[in-house]
């Protein structure tokens, strides 16, 4: 996650392909099923919270980095 943050990735890249959000699946027992966009965003923010990451950026907080002993990873 730190590598991705350093390279400019954030919560905007933490998503599913549009086909899972916009149109239902074709065939099989899940025919017509799709992921609810709002429910996905809510679950994603909860995941960030449980990881002790910033819910607005999706990146680890400085407190989390210190707790894990990797605060050096963000130094230039």
């Amino acid at each position: 996650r730190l590598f991705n943050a350093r390279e400019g990735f954030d919560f905007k890249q933490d998503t599913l392909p549009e086909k899972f959000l916009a149109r239902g699946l074709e065939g099989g027992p899940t025919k017509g099923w799709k992921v609810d966009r709002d429910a996905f965003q809510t679950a994603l923010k909860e995941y960030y919270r449980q990881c002790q990451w910033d819910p607005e950026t999706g990146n680890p907080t400085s407190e989390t980095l210190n707790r894990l002993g990797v605060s050096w990873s963000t130094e230039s």
Side-chain angles (χ1 to χ4, degrees):
R1 191 63 184 201
L2 292 174
F3 173 84
N4 287 348
R6 186 190 75 197
E7 298 303 310
F9 287 79
D10 61 17
F11 73 96
K12 291 180 277 250
Q13 286 78 31
D14 285 338
T15 190
L16 297 172
E18 188 61 27
K19 68 181 182 179
F20 294 116
L21 300 167
R23 65 178 192 261
L25 296 175
E26 299 174 8
T30 58
K31 181 178 181 179
W33 187 85
K34 63 182 177 180
V35 176
D36 179 86
R37 193 178 306 268
D38 292 334
F40 178 79
Q41 289 302 317
T42 298
L44 187 60
K45 286 199 175 200
E46 177 60 18
Y47 174 76
Y48 293 159
R49 187 190 69 73
Q50 289 187 25
C51 289
Q52 297 179 357
W53 295 353
D54 183 329
E56 299 306 314
T57 66
N59 292 321
T61 62
S62 57
E63 293 83 11
T64 299
L65 297 176
N66 287 331
R67 180 176 51 80
L68 296 173
V70 293
S71 58
W72 55 265
S73 63
T74 59
E75 298 171 1
S76 319

